[in-house]
Every structure is written in C-alpha cells, then in structure tokens.
Amino acid sequence: MNGRKDVFVPVPVPGEQQVKEIIADVWMRSSRERELAWNEIENDFPLYSLSDGEESLGLDSLDAIEIATELEEAFDVVMPTELEPADLRTVSQLVTMLERLRQEQHGSA
C-alpha cells in the first residue's frame, strides 16, 4: 500500500430549492423587468413557452443553456445533448431528470 486513502466525495442530491435557486440566479443575470426569488417559482409552472401566448416564467434558450450548465456543475452530472425541451419545462421535470442522471452516472450514493 502506498498509504493513500481513497476519499469518497458524495454527489449532491438534486433538490427543488437548489434547482429553483439556479433558475432565479440565471433570471437575475438577464435584464428583466423585476427581480425573482427562488421561492416564487412554482414546481409545475412552465419555465419557457413552446408556443406564442403560452403563459410561462419567460426564460429563453440562452437561459436554458446557462441553467443546464449550472445544473451539471452543481450536481456533477452530464446532460444529454438530445434533450427535448418539452420534457424539461418545469422544476419538477428538471429534478426528476437530475435524479435519473445522478443514478445512471454515479449509481446509488
């Protein structure tokens, strides 16, 4: 033995609050009419619209890229490049996907 101990670093568990904090942070970096706190984001409210006139939080594709990048860093996962926007429109859908990716990429922790 070389005396080195392997250190187990746990992979963070995706949680709604942390996902909402990331979304609110990205929101605040873009020029918006008003501020947004993480606790104002509803779990099942669309983050962006798929059609004109659809009610949503108002995020755009650039916001989505920033959010995906930050989620990857925060939860140590790699997002698939073939994601369907309609499948990841709400906080609940994001948390479910992050939990699945975490399990697939890191096993049970």
Short mmCIF file of all heavy atoms in Angstrom, two decimals, residues 9-44:
data_model
loop_
_atom_site.label_atom_id
_atom_site.label_comp_id
_atom_site.label_asym_id
_atom_site.label_seq_id
_atom_site.Cartn_x
_atom_site.Cartn_y
_atom_site.Cartn_z
N VAL A 9 -16.32 11.32 -2.18
CA VAL A 9 -16.97 12.63 -2.21
C VAL A 9 -18.39 12.39 -2.70
O VAL A 9 -18.60 11.99 -3.84
CB VAL A 9 -16.24 13.61 -3.16
CG1 VAL A 9 -16.96 14.94 -3.22
CG2 VAL A 9 -14.80 13.78 -2.72
N PRO A 10 -19.38 12.60 -1.84
CA PRO A 10 -20.76 12.34 -2.25
C PRO A 10 -21.22 13.30 -3.34
O PRO A 10 -20.85 14.47 -3.36
CB PRO A 10 -21.57 12.54 -0.97
CG PRO A 10 -20.71 13.38 -0.10
CD PRO A 10 -19.28 13.11 -0.49
N VAL A 11 -22.02 12.77 -4.26
CA VAL A 11 -22.61 13.58 -5.30
C VAL A 11 -23.85 14.23 -4.71
O VAL A 11 -24.67 13.56 -4.09
CB VAL A 11 -22.97 12.69 -6.52
CG1 VAL A 11 -23.66 13.51 -7.58
CG2 VAL A 11 -21.73 12.02 -7.06
N PRO A 12 -24.00 15.54 -4.87
CA PRO A 12 -25.16 16.22 -4.28
C PRO A 12 -26.48 15.64 -4.78
O PRO A 12 -26.61 15.28 -5.94
CB PRO A 12 -25.00 17.67 -4.74
CG PRO A 12 -23.60 17.80 -5.21
CD PRO A 12 -23.15 16.44 -5.62
N VAL A 13 -27.44 15.57 -3.89
CA VAL A 13 -28.77 15.09 -4.24
C VAL A 13 -29.57 16.27 -4.79
O VAL A 13 -29.64 17.32 -4.15
CB VAL A 13 -29.48 14.51 -3.00
CG1 VAL A 13 -30.91 14.10 -3.34
CG2 VAL A 13 -28.70 13.33 -2.44
N PRO A 14 -30.14 16.11 -6.00
CA PRO A 14 -30.91 17.22 -6.56
C PRO A 14 -32.12 17.55 -5.69
O PRO A 14 -32.86 16.66 -5.28
CB PRO A 14 -31.36 16.68 -7.92
CG PRO A 14 -30.47 15.53 -8.21
CD PRO A 14 -30.06 14.97 -6.88
N GLY A 15 -32.29 18.80 -5.41
CA GLY A 15 -33.44 19.24 -4.63
C GLY A 15 -34.12 20.41 -5.31
O GLY A 15 -33.49 21.18 -6.03
N GLU A 16 -35.41 20.52 -5.09
CA GLU A 16 -36.19 21.58 -5.73
C GLU A 16 -35.65 22.96 -5.40
O GLU A 16 -35.54 23.82 -6.27
CB GLU A 16 -37.65 21.47 -5.33
CG GLU A 16 -38.35 20.28 -5.91
CD GLU A 16 -39.76 20.10 -5.38
OE1 GLU A 16 -40.17 20.84 -4.47
OE2 GLU A 16 -40.46 19.21 -5.89
N GLN A 17 -35.30 23.19 -4.14
CA GLN A 17 -34.84 24.52 -3.76
C GLN A 17 -33.56 24.89 -4.51
O GLN A 17 -33.45 26.00 -5.03
CB GLN A 17 -34.61 24.64 -2.26
CG GLN A 17 -34.11 26.03 -1.88
CD GLN A 17 -33.93 26.24 -0.39
OE1 GLN A 17 -34.48 25.50 0.42
NE2 GLN A 17 -33.13 27.22 -0.02
N GLN A 18 -32.60 23.99 -4.57
CA GLN A 18 -31.34 24.31 -5.25
C GLN A 18 -31.56 24.54 -6.74
O GLN A 18 -30.97 25.45 -7.33
CB GLN A 18 -30.32 23.21 -5.03
CG GLN A 18 -28.92 23.63 -5.45
CD GLN A 18 -27.86 22.65 -5.06
OE1 GLN A 18 -28.15 21.56 -4.56
NE2 GLN A 18 -26.61 23.00 -5.29
N VAL A 19 -32.43 23.75 -7.37
CA VAL A 19 -32.75 23.96 -8.78
C VAL A 19 -33.41 25.33 -8.96
O VAL A 19 -33.05 26.09 -9.87
CB VAL A 19 -33.65 22.82 -9.32
CG1 VAL A 19 -34.19 23.15 -10.70
CG2 VAL A 19 -32.90 21.49 -9.33
N LYS A 20 -34.34 25.67 -8.09
CA LYS A 20 -35.00 26.98 -8.17
C LYS A 20 -34.02 28.12 -7.96
O LYS A 20 -34.11 29.17 -8.60
CB LYS A 20 -36.13 27.07 -7.15
CG LYS A 20 -37.32 26.20 -7.47
CD LYS A 20 -38.36 26.31 -6.37
CE LYS A 20 -39.57 25.45 -6.63
NZ LYS A 20 -40.60 25.63 -5.60
N GLU A 21 -33.05 27.94 -7.04
CA GLU A 21 -32.05 28.98 -6.81
C GLU A 21 -31.21 29.22 -8.06
O GLU A 21 -30.90 30.36 -8.38
CB GLU A 21 -31.16 28.60 -5.62
CG GLU A 21 -31.87 28.71 -4.29
CD GLU A 21 -31.07 28.15 -3.12
OE1 GLU A 21 -30.03 27.48 -3.35
OE2 GLU A 21 -31.49 28.37 -1.98
N ILE A 22 -30.87 28.15 -8.77
CA ILE A 22 -30.10 28.29 -10.00
C ILE A 22 -30.93 29.02 -11.06
O ILE A 22 -30.43 29.92 -11.73
CB ILE A 22 -29.63 26.90 -10.50
CG1 ILE A 22 -28.53 26.38 -9.56
CG2 ILE A 22 -29.15 26.96 -11.95
CD1 ILE A 22 -28.15 24.92 -9.78
N ILE A 23 -32.19 28.64 -11.20
CA ILE A 23 -33.07 29.30 -12.17
C ILE A 23 -33.21 30.79 -11.84
O ILE A 23 -33.08 31.65 -12.72
CB ILE A 23 -34.45 28.61 -12.21
CG1 ILE A 23 -34.31 27.20 -12.79
CG2 ILE A 23 -35.46 29.44 -13.01
CD1 ILE A 23 -35.52 26.32 -12.58
N ALA A 24 -33.44 31.12 -10.58
CA ALA A 24 -33.59 32.52 -10.17
C ALA A 24 -32.30 33.30 -10.40
O ALA A 24 -32.34 34.46 -10.82
CB ALA A 24 -34.02 32.60 -8.70
N ASP A 25 -31.16 32.66 -10.16
CA ASP A 25 -29.87 33.32 -10.38
C ASP A 25 -29.68 33.65 -11.86
O ASP A 25 -29.26 34.76 -12.21
CB ASP A 25 -28.74 32.43 -9.86
CG ASP A 25 -27.40 33.12 -9.94
OD1 ASP A 25 -27.27 34.25 -9.44
OD2 ASP A 25 -26.47 32.52 -10.53
N VAL A 26 -29.99 32.70 -12.73
CA VAL A 26 -29.88 32.95 -14.18
C VAL A 26 -30.86 34.05 -14.58
O VAL A 26 -30.52 34.95 -15.36
CB VAL A 26 -30.12 31.65 -14.98
CG1 VAL A 26 -30.28 31.94 -16.46
CG2 VAL A 26 -28.97 30.66 -14.74
N TRP A 27 -32.05 34.00 -14.04
CA TRP A 27 -33.07 35.03 -14.32
C TRP A 27 -32.52 36.42 -13.99
O TRP A 27 -32.67 37.36 -14.77
CB TRP A 27 -34.32 34.74 -13.48
CG TRP A 27 -35.34 35.84 -13.43
CD1 TRP A 27 -35.31 36.94 -12.64
CD2 TRP A 27 -36.52 35.95 -14.22
NE1 TRP A 27 -36.43 37.72 -12.87
CE2 TRP A 27 -37.18 37.13 -13.84
CE3 TRP A 27 -37.10 35.14 -15.20
CZ2 TRP A 27 -38.38 37.54 -14.41
CZ3 TRP A 27 -38.30 35.56 -15.75
CH2 TRP A 27 -38.93 36.74 -15.37
N MET A 28 -31.89 36.55 -12.83
CA MET A 28 -31.42 37.85 -12.36
C MET A 28 -30.23 38.36 -13.17
O MET A 28 -29.98 39.56 -13.21
CB MET A 28 -31.06 37.78 -10.88
CG MET A 28 -32.25 37.52 -9.97
SD MET A 28 -33.57 38.73 -10.17
CE MET A 28 -32.71 40.18 -9.61
N ARG A 29 -29.48 37.48 -13.83
CA ARG A 29 -28.34 37.92 -14.63
C ARG A 29 -28.77 38.51 -15.97
O ARG A 29 -28.01 39.23 -16.60
CB ARG A 29 -27.37 36.77 -14.87
CG ARG A 29 -26.50 36.54 -13.65
CD ARG A 29 -25.45 35.53 -13.94
NE ARG A 29 -25.93 34.27 -13.34
CZ ARG A 29 -25.65 33.08 -13.78
NH1 ARG A 29 -24.91 32.92 -14.83
NH2 ARG A 29 -26.11 32.02 -13.17
N SER A 30 -29.97 38.18 -16.41
CA SER A 30 -30.51 38.74 -17.64
C SER A 30 -31.28 40.01 -17.28
O SER A 30 -31.75 40.16 -16.16
CB SER A 30 -31.47 37.75 -18.31
OG SER A 30 -30.80 36.56 -18.62
N SER A 31 -31.41 40.90 -18.24
CA SER A 31 -32.16 42.12 -17.94
C SER A 31 -33.65 41.78 -17.92
O SER A 31 -34.23 41.41 -18.92
CB SER A 31 -31.85 43.21 -18.97
OG SER A 31 -32.15 42.74 -20.26
N ARG A 32 -34.22 41.87 -16.76
CA ARG A 32 -35.64 41.56 -16.55
C ARG A 32 -36.33 42.77 -15.94
O ARG A 32 -35.69 43.62 -15.33
CB ARG A 32 -35.81 40.37 -15.60
CG ARG A 32 -35.06 39.13 -15.99
CD ARG A 32 -35.72 38.41 -17.12
NE ARG A 32 -35.00 37.15 -17.33
CZ ARG A 32 -35.17 36.36 -18.34
NH1 ARG A 32 -36.05 36.65 -19.26
NH2 ARG A 32 -34.48 35.26 -18.47
N GLU A 33 -37.64 42.79 -16.07
CA GLU A 33 -38.42 43.90 -15.52
C GLU A 33 -38.48 43.87 -14.00
O GLU A 33 -38.67 44.89 -13.37
CB GLU A 33 -39.84 43.87 -16.10
CG GLU A 33 -39.87 44.16 -17.57
CD GLU A 33 -41.27 44.08 -18.13
OE1 GLU A 33 -42.25 44.13 -17.36
OE2 GLU A 33 -41.39 43.97 -19.35
N ARG A 34 -38.37 42.69 -13.43
CA ARG A 34 -38.46 42.59 -11.97
C ARG A 34 -37.53 41.51 -11.46
O ARG A 34 -37.07 40.65 -12.20
CB ARG A 34 -39.90 42.28 -11.54
CG ARG A 34 -40.37 40.89 -11.93
CD ARG A 34 -41.77 40.62 -11.39
NE ARG A 34 -42.13 39.24 -11.53
CZ ARG A 34 -41.87 38.27 -10.67
NH1 ARG A 34 -41.21 38.53 -9.56
NH2 ARG A 34 -42.26 37.03 -10.89
N GLU A 35 -37.27 41.55 -10.16
CA GLU A 35 -36.45 40.53 -9.53
C GLU A 35 -37.29 39.27 -9.32
O GLU A 35 -38.52 39.32 -9.31
CB GLU A 35 -35.93 41.04 -8.19
CG GLU A 35 -34.93 42.16 -8.33
CD GLU A 35 -34.29 42.54 -7.02
OE1 GLU A 35 -34.50 41.86 -6.00
OE2 GLU A 35 -33.57 43.54 -7.02
N LEU A 36 -36.62 38.16 -9.15
CA LEU A 36 -37.29 36.88 -8.93
C LEU A 36 -36.55 36.13 -7.83
O LEU A 36 -35.34 35.90 -7.93
CB LEU A 36 -37.30 36.05 -10.21
CG LEU A 36 -37.91 34.66 -10.12
CD1 LEU A 36 -39.44 34.77 -9.96
CD2 LEU A 36 -37.57 33.85 -11.36
N ALA A 37 -37.26 35.75 -6.78
CA ALA A 37 -36.69 34.95 -5.70
C ALA A 37 -37.00 33.48 -5.99
O ALA A 37 -38.03 33.16 -6.59
CB ALA A 37 -37.28 35.36 -4.36
N TRP A 38 -36.14 32.60 -5.53
CA TRP A 38 -36.32 31.17 -5.81
C TRP A 38 -37.67 30.65 -5.33
O TRP A 38 -38.29 29.82 -5.96
CB TRP A 38 -35.17 30.35 -5.23
CG TRP A 38 -35.19 30.25 -3.72
CD1 TRP A 38 -34.52 31.05 -2.86
CD2 TRP A 38 -35.91 29.32 -2.93
NE1 TRP A 38 -34.79 30.68 -1.57
CE2 TRP A 38 -35.64 29.61 -1.58
CE3 TRP A 38 -36.77 28.27 -3.22
CZ2 TRP A 38 -36.19 28.88 -0.53
CZ3 TRP A 38 -37.32 27.54 -2.17
CH2 TRP A 38 -37.02 27.85 -0.85
N ASN A 39 -38.16 31.19 -4.19
CA ASN A 39 -39.40 30.66 -3.62
C ASN A 39 -40.65 31.17 -4.35
O ASN A 39 -41.75 30.78 -4.02
CB ASN A 39 -39.49 30.95 -2.13
CG ASN A 39 -39.36 32.42 -1.80
OD1 ASN A 39 -39.11 33.25 -2.67
ND2 ASN A 39 -39.52 32.75 -0.54
N GLU A 40 -40.47 32.01 -5.37
CA GLU A 40 -41.59 32.46 -6.20
C GLU A 40 -41.83 31.50 -7.38
O GLU A 40 -42.84 31.62 -8.07
CB GLU A 40 -41.31 33.85 -6.78
CG GLU A 40 -41.25 34.95 -5.75
CD GLU A 40 -40.91 36.27 -6.41
OE1 GLU A 40 -41.81 36.84 -7.07
OE2 GLU A 40 -39.76 36.72 -6.28
N ILE A 41 -40.92 30.59 -7.62
CA ILE A 41 -41.02 29.68 -8.77
C ILE A 41 -41.83 28.46 -8.36
O ILE A 41 -41.47 27.75 -7.42
CB ILE A 41 -39.62 29.25 -9.25
CG1 ILE A 41 -38.79 30.49 -9.64
CG2 ILE A 41 -39.74 28.29 -10.43
CD1 ILE A 41 -37.33 30.19 -9.91
N GLU A 42 -42.91 28.23 -9.06
CA GLU A 42 -43.77 27.07 -8.77
C GLU A 42 -43.20 25.83 -9.46
O GLU A 42 -42.68 25.91 -10.57
CB GLU A 42 -45.19 27.33 -9.27
CG GLU A 42 -45.87 28.48 -8.54
CD GLU A 42 -47.26 28.75 -9.09
OE1 GLU A 42 -47.92 27.82 -9.58
OE2 GLU A 42 -47.68 29.91 -9.03
N ASN A 43 -43.32 24.69 -8.79
CA ASN A 43 -42.73 23.44 -9.28
C ASN A 43 -43.23 23.02 -10.65
O ASN A 43 -42.48 22.44 -11.43
CB ASN A 43 -42.96 22.30 -8.30
CG ASN A 43 -42.19 22.48 -7.03
OD1 ASN A 43 -41.27 23.28 -6.95
ND2 ASN A 43 -42.56 21.75 -6.01
N ASP A 44 -44.50 23.26 -10.96
CA ASP A 44 -45.07 22.77 -12.20
C ASP A 44 -45.45 23.89 -13.18
O ASP A 44 -46.16 23.64 -14.15
CB ASP A 44 -46.29 21.88 -11.90
CG ASP A 44 -45.86 20.61 -11.19
OD1 ASP A 44 -44.86 20.00 -11.61
OD2 ASP A 44 -46.50 20.23 -10.20
#
